[in-house]
Amino acid sequence: MAKIDLITSSSESIARDMSGFAVRVFTHPAIKIIISVSIIVLTMYVLHDLSVKVSWSDVKKDISNSSWLSIGFAILATVISFAALSFYDVFAVRTVAKDQVPNKVAAFAGSAGTAVSNLIGFSYLTGTAVRYRIYASLGVDLSRVANIIAIAWIGFWLGLMLILGLLMLAHPNGLSDILPLNEQTEIVIGSLIILAMSGLFIWLACAPRSMTMGGFRVALPGLKLTLALTGVAVIDLSGAAMTLYFLTPSDLSQNLLFFFVIYMAAIALGILSHSPGGLGVFEATVIAGLGAAGRSDMLAALLLYRMIYFVLPFFVSVTALTLGFVLNRRRTVLELSGATYLLIRPLVPMAVAGITLLAGIILIISGTLPSSSSRLGLLRDIVPMPIIEISHLLGSIVGILLIVIARGLYRKLSRAWVAAMFLMVLGLAASLLKGLDWEEAVGMGLAITLLIIFRSAFYRTDSVSVFRLDTKWLFTCAALLAAIFWVGLFAYSNVEYQDTLWWQFAFDADVSRSLRASFVISVIFLGIGLHSILNKRGAIKQNQVISNTVRDIIAQSPSTEAQLDLLGDKSFLVSEDNIAYLAYCDTGGSLITRGEPIGDETSGKNLMWQLRELADRSGKRCAFYAVSSKYMETYLDLGLSILKIGETARVSLKGFTLDGPKKKSFRYAHNKAARDGYEFSVVKKADVPKILPELRGISDAWMKSKQGEEKAFSLGYFDETYLVNFDHAVLRHSDTGGIVAFANLFQGANQHELSLDLMRYDPTGPKIAMDALFGAMMLWGAEQGFQWFSLGAAPFSGIENRELSSLWNRIGGFIYNHGENVYHFEGLRSFKQKFDPTWTPNYLASPGGLAAPKILYEVNSLVSGGVRGLLR
């Protein structure tokens, strides 16, 4: 029996390891990008091949000949779909936050979030961000927001799998036209899907269930609610499919079940591609699946589908936001705050960014399509041809720049707003001068109006260029431009390529203008990409002159930690009454303090709010590293999460001796040093400049033996302007006077606390030098009347690592228990425990979710220079 248990346990362990490995592989960013790029490249090729014989003029004719009855039914199906999908969040909220979020707000979050993500895509400006901002504004914490989103996604996938399973059973030949599956295989797969879902329903009915997704424990809905979510998903997906079905040519949509199979496959591939709205991928799948190659009426149907199911709901959502904002402005005249304002304001930058992105897309697409000959004829006698050429090229350039700065608008940057206003005006003028595209001009005018109305929402002053993009934005923009460039290739597919096309300048030279615009856009985007990659945001180095006010506050502080701020590597916020300050570093993405405010507590709280507001205006995160529980209430008021990151050890010096078995090594070192002729002394800071050359030699030799680099931020480094601020404890030989070890002393006001920062020794000197110096310092502190000796922090110490602990506690506990090869966490705590210290917790106050590990990585960069510095 024991062997069987062992084999079973081993098998389960292997299965967990293999499944975990598979999840890590397929969710790795590089793998996801490779899959996405492969799908996009393949489908763009297929789409071009399938539509190479179609002309743009035929597509426009088919759009104009479309039946208004079909369009009306398509709009009705869209309404049904969005009405259904709004219930994802309604049902999810009933499970997670029933008393916090009204049903109307949940329905709006679901529909608005989907409208945004449908148009823009999954890489940025997603429905997840919309939902998070709405729910967070109502006080729902991150874990519950994640739970709501997870349940909504579970409902969507349950509905998709149910439809797929039923389709395989009801129409077994459906997938066989796309995938190499015979009838029996489809029936078997469909039956397995239905059986698996039945088993899931029974499992959920037996008892309350939960699962872990992305580090959050998700409470799964019960059977009744799961069935409701599945039904909603079926209605949602059916409505979406029927939107395209009503627009599809009748000879291609005769078999409704087969059409559903094609549609669901197109949706799945669009999601996997991460292309904005599945653009290109969805179209290629539908055309290939329905056998509509070379059909201009099918392309017309797909364009109408995009407008009805993607663009129309987005503008309805934006209109709702606009009306809410305007009504709120009227209300705020009478009230200082309101729920509407809290609900609407966080979504304004997202909506405006989406409109700007759409304006850029329209300008680029317009630049790749043929101009109206009748409108150009009106301009022929009024505007010189060079102006038309320049305006056409300018419109495309404005388009790509609008797409890029949409990210800055999303981040609420004031400079992005200014750039958007300038570009919109240029775009409006270019739209008129390049071909009297008054529709585009009106759209630009409306966009300018929205930017003016929502000016107050863009208040951040981040110094980073608005044309610097992160990896996700670069990839998404590249995918978007690839789809747009295909539109140009499709529009001129009947024109044979010639080198002379690049140099033709004439009123009817649409192909030449499209080629030149595409080339310039590619060059600009390549330049922006290189600029973004080569100028990654890093820590902003500080070489601050420390004011006398800060020095006075430090001198009056009983805590020795304040004296680290004399390093000069931090910026300072000083209270107006000059009785408190806050020291922080700017990492480029965050403002991070080392410790809490120093000085008066009330003034310190005001400084914490000032830093939080400064970070918000700069578009950066705000975090307080290595703090105590003194300002815990204020951290929570600031909207920050609290994470325990370790403990600090302090030894009482009242009656301190080196007696006792735990201090045996220090007692031995102290006595041996005395026997060997070494003596301890304290050099006053006025005399420190005289011994600095000798200390420099010891420090350099010590650093060389460690093969490491100097630390910073929360640890001091050897700098003469820094060290002259302190008395130094030294151990020197009584005969030669040569120093073999030293440490700079931190002495708190009123002899409250004694500590040290740099403690270094000559590697060629006595091996007991460090222990002897350490013990002598503590004895000297006790003789001088100091109350405490601070031994500093023990990272990750005291963190409870239990099954029901938070994700952070489990990670911290794992690092503490298994990180000995990188950093001797347990050994450090054991060393300090020899003095029977009093342990007090150390915290990190930072934004929640994934921001916390980012903050810790940035702290590591400030202290050690990143992972490389930490390992060294």
Side-chain angles (χ1 to χ4, degrees):
M1 181 65 69
K3 291 183 178 179
I4 294 176
D5 292 341
L6 179 60
I7 294 172
T8 302
S9 177
S10 300
S11 300
E12 292 176 352
S13 176
I14 293 172
R16 286 196 300 270
D17 291 343
M18 292 179 63
S19 61
F21 174 76
V23 170
R24 289 193 298 272
V25 168
F26 288 106
T27 59
H28 192 280
I31 299 299
K32 291 167 68 176
I33 290 177
I34 290 172
I35 293 174
S36 300
V37 171
S38 301
I39 292 175
I40 290 173
V41 171
L42 179 61
T43 51
M44 287 301 168
Y45 172 79
V46 172
L47 186 60
H48 179 65
D49 185 62
L50 293 174
S51 57
V52 69
K53 297 180 180 179
V54 181
S55 66
W56 174 242
S57 58
D58 291 338
V59 174
K60 290 196 295 184
K61 181 187 291 187
D62 288 326
I63 291 176
S64 61
N65 293 334
S66 297
S67 167
W68 284 103
L69 182 62
S70 298
I71 293 175
F73 278 124
I75 294 175
L76 178 61
T78 298
V79 172
I80 293 173
S81 175
F82 273 82
L85 64 84
S86 67
F87 279 91
Y88 288 139
D89 287 59
V90 173
F91 290 146
V93 163
R94 290 183 182 178
T95 302
V96 178
K98 183 177 181 181
D99 298 330
Q100 288 183 268
V101 182
N103 287 338
K104 292 181 179 179
V105 174
F108 176 75
S111 57
T114 304
V116 171
S117 63
N118 276 355
L119 181 66
I120 308 303
F122 292 90
S123 295
Y124 55 91
L125 297 179
T126 61
T128 298
V130 175
R131 286 163 165 159
Y132 174 74
R133 291 184 179 275
I134 291 176
Y135 295 135
S137 68
L138 297 178
V140 183
D141 60 54
L142 178 64
S143 61
R144 290 193 174 189
V145 174
N147 210 332
I148 293 172
I149 296 171
I151 290 176
W153 270 102
I154 289 171
F156 170 82
W157 283 106
L158 284 175
L160 184 61
M161 295 305 296
L162 179 61
I163 291 176
L164 183 61
L166 292 176
L167 287 174
M168 285 184 167
L169 290 176
H171 190 267
N173 292 324
L175 286 180
S176 59
D177 292 340
I178 306 173
L179 300 176
L181 298 176
N182 56 40
E183 180 177 337
Q184 290 74 20
T185 303
E186 283 192 28
I187 294 176
V188 170
I189 294 176
S191 301
L192 289 176
I193 292 175
I194 299 301
L195 287 174
M197 293 190 66
S198 301
L200 175 64
F201 293 150
I202 295 173
W203 180 67
L204 291 173
C206 293
R209 306 292 185 180
S210 64
M211 62 184 296
T212 301
M213 296 179 63
F216 295 97
R217 187 175 295 277
V218 178
L220 298 177
L223 176 61
K224 183 177 180 181
L225 205 52
T226 302
L227 292 174
L229 282 168
T230 306
V232 164
V234 170
I235 297 173
D236 163 32
L237 291 167
S238 299
M242 292 304 295
T243 302
L244 180 59
Y245 181 80
F246 286 126
L247 299 170
T248 301
S250 57
D251 62 313
L252 296 176
S253 60
Q254 293 179 359
N255 191 324
L256 180 60
L257 293 179
F258 177 69
F259 180 87
F260 262 67
V261 172
I262 304 302
Y263 184 87
M264 297 305 162
I267 289 291
L269 284 175
I271 293 175
L272 288 175
S273 72
H274 291 279
S275 173
L279 188 63
V281 178
F282 176 85
E283 284 78 4
T285 307
V286 170
I287 292 174
L290 295 179
R295 295 284 296 267
S296 60
D297 52 355
M298 189 63 228
L299 280 173
L302 288 166
L303 285 173
L304 287 172
Y305 169 75
R306 285 283 177 184
M307 295 299 297
I308 293 172
Y309 196 81
F310 288 76
V311 178
L312 182 60
F314 176 81
F315 276 106
V316 169
S317 298
V318 170
T319 302
L321 293 174
T322 305
L323 291 175
F325 187 85
V326 172
L327 292 174
N328 177 71
R329 281 296 181 90
R330 178 177 59 82
R331 181 180 298 178
T332 52
V333 174
L334 303 175
E335 301 177 4
L336 294 177
S337 61
T340 305
Y341 178 79
L342 294 175
L343 181 65
I344 298 300
R345 183 178 174 83
L347 301 177
V348 169
M350 196 177 303
V352 173
I355 292 173
T356 302
L357 183 67
L358 187 60
I361 294 173
I362 291 173
L363 279 174
I364 296 179
I365 291 179
S366 175
T368 61
L369 296 179
S371 302
S372 171
S373 57
S374 59
R375 295 182 183 182
L376 273 177
L378 295 175
L379 290 175
R380 187 185 297 267
D381 299 328
I382 303 173
V383 181
M385 190 183 69
I387 298 297
I388 294 177
E389 293 284 356
I390 292 173
S391 299
H392 187 280
L393 190 60
L394 179 63
S396 298
I397 294 173
V398 168
I400 181 61
L401 294 180
L402 284 175
I403 290 175
V404 170
I405 67 166
R407 179 175 182 266
L409 292 172
Y410 173 62
R411 298 181 60 242
K412 310 175 188 176
L413 300 182
S414 60
R415 290 184 296 108
W417 182 91
V418 173
M421 286 290 293
F422 175 72
L423 291 172
M424 289 286 188
V425 172
L426 286 181
L428 189 152
S431 298
L432 295 174
L433 291 175
K434 72 185 177 68
L436 287 180
D437 291 328
W438 61 268
E439 300 93 343
E440 292 178 23
V442 170
M444 293 293 165
L446 292 175
I448 292 172
T449 303
L450 287 173
L451 284 170
I452 294 174
I453 292 174
F454 297 132
R455 173 67 183 93
S456 62
F458 303 92
Y459 56 88
R460 289 177 172 170
T461 57
D462 192 350
S463 59
V464 175
S465 170
V466 294
F467 297 108
R468 193 190 68 83
L469 303 178
D470 59 19
T471 304
K472 290 183 178 180
W473 277 76
L474 280 173
F475 169 71
T476 306
C477 287
L480 186 61
L481 289 177
I484 294 174
F485 288 158
W486 172 84
V487 173
L489 292 174
F490 161 70
Y492 303 107
S493 57
N494 59 335
V495 178
E496 184 178 353
Y497 173 79
Q498 298 176 13
D499 293 340
T500 56
L501 289 173
W502 291 92
W503 316 112
Q504 289 182 3
F505 296 92
F507 281 99
D508 58 351
D510 291 319
V511 180
S512 300
R513 282 192 284 269
S514 177
L515 283 174
R516 289 190 290 267
S518 298
F519 175 74
V520 171
I521 289 172
S522 300
V523 171
I524 291 175
F525 183 70
L526 179 61
I528 291 173
L530 291 175
H531 168 73
S532 302
I533 294 171
L534 298 177
N535 295 278
K536 289 185 177 181
R537 171 181 278 184
I540 298 176
K541 300 298 183 181
Q542 304 291 341
N543 291 301
Q544 298 292 330
V545 176
I546 303 171
S547 66
N548 291 330
T549 300
V550 171
R551 292 181 181 275
D552 291 341
I553 297 173
I554 291 175
Q556 297 168 18
S557 173
S559 172
T560 56
E561 287 292 313
Q563 296 179 41
L564 268 172
D565 298 331
L566 295 173
L567 274 170
D569 62 344
K570 303 176 184 69
S571 297
F572 296 96
L573 283 179
V574 182
S575 63
E576 294 181 357
D577 50 15
N578 292 330
I579 58 176
Y581 78 85
L582 190 60
Y584 68 94
C585 279
D586 187 343
T587 67
S590 307
L591 303 184
I592 306 176
T593 72
R594 191 238 30 96
E596 52 206 17
I598 303 298
D600 180 74
E601 184 172 348
T602 301
S603 298
K605 290 181 180 178
N606 293 331
L607 290 174
M608 294 166 70
W609 279 103
Q610 289 181 33
L611 185 69
R612 179 70 175 85
E613 292 161 358
L614 175 62
D616 183 63
R617 289 195 303 272
S618 303
K620 300 173 182 177
R621 295 176 291 267
C622 177
F624 298 82
Y625 173 75
V627 297
S628 68
S629 59
K630 180 179 179 180
Y631 292 95
M632 191 67 69
E633 184 178 349
T634 306
Y635 299 134
L636 297 175
D637 291 340
L638 290 169
L640 303 177
S641 299
I642 309 298
L643 300 176
K644 187 176 182 181
I645 58 174
E647 294 177 303
T648 299
R650 298 165 76 225
V651 180
S652 175
L653 293 181
K654 293 182 179 179
F656 177 83
T657 67
L658 293 178
D659 297 336
K662 291 184 178 181
K663 303 170 190 174
K664 179 180 179 181
S665 60
F666 295 96
R667 185 169 61 252
Y668 167 79
H670 181 74
N671 294 333
K672 180 170 176 53
R675 290 194 303 269
D676 293 345
Y678 292 96
E679 58 183 22
F680 170 86
S681 64
V682 174
V683 179
K684 296 299 182 182
K685 63 181 180 180
D687 298 323
V688 167
K690 301 176 184 178
I691 63 171
L692 276 176
E694 190 174 3
L695 300 186
R696 166 70 74 178
I698 295 173
S699 178
D700 291 346
W702 184 83
M703 289 293 297
K704 185 177 181 180
S705 69
K706 297 298 180 182
Q707 295 183 350
E709 298 177 355
E710 290 277 20
K711 308 301 182 185
F713 186 61
S714 62
L715 296 169
Y717 48 85
F718 195 98
D719 180 78
E720 295 181 358
T721 58
Y722 168 62
L723 294 178
V724 295
N725 292 292
F726 312 104
D727 295 345
H728 278 59
V730 299
L731 189 70
R732 69 174 82 215
H733 199 277
S734 56
D735 295 335
T736 63
I739 298 175
V740 294
F742 74 91
N744 62 319
L745 295 175
F746 287 171
Q747 303 176 61
N750 303 318
Q751 294 185 313
H752 175 74
E753 187 176 72
L754 177 68
S755 187
L756 60 95
D757 184 20
L758 270 69
M759 186 174 180
R760 297 178 178 178
Y761 65 95
D762 184 353
T764 63
K767 302 301 182 184
I768 47 87
M770 289 291 278
D771 284 354
L773 181 63
F774 203 90
M777 273 191 296
M778 299 184 74
L779 291 172
W780 177 85
E783 293 173 0
Q784 299 299 313
F786 284 93
Q787 302 175 43
W788 296 92
F789 189 94
S790 175
L791 296 173
F796 299 106
S797 170
I799 297 179
E800 291 288 346
N801 181 12
R802 299 176 183 269
E803 183 178 353
L804 299 179
S805 297
S806 68
L807 175 65
W808 166 250
N809 277 38
R810 295 199 297 273
I811 293 174
F814 178 84
I815 294 174
Y816 182 78
N817 293 327
H818 303 283
E820 287 295 299
N821 292 331
V822 177
Y823 192 95
H824 300 292
F825 296 107
E826 179 62 36
L828 181 63
R829 194 184 197 282
S830 299
F831 168 80
K832 296 178 180 182
Q833 187 61 40
K834 294 179 180 180
F835 297 95
D836 293 324
T838 300
W839 294 96
T840 56
N842 243 355
Y843 299 103
L844 169 69
S846 75
L850 296 178
K854 291 179 181 178
I855 293 291
L856 288 173
Y857 177 79
E858 290 174 347
V859 169
N860 170 53
S861 297
L862 291 172
V863 176
S864 304
V867 175
R868 179 173 174 268
L870 177 64
L871 294 177
R872 290 190 65 182

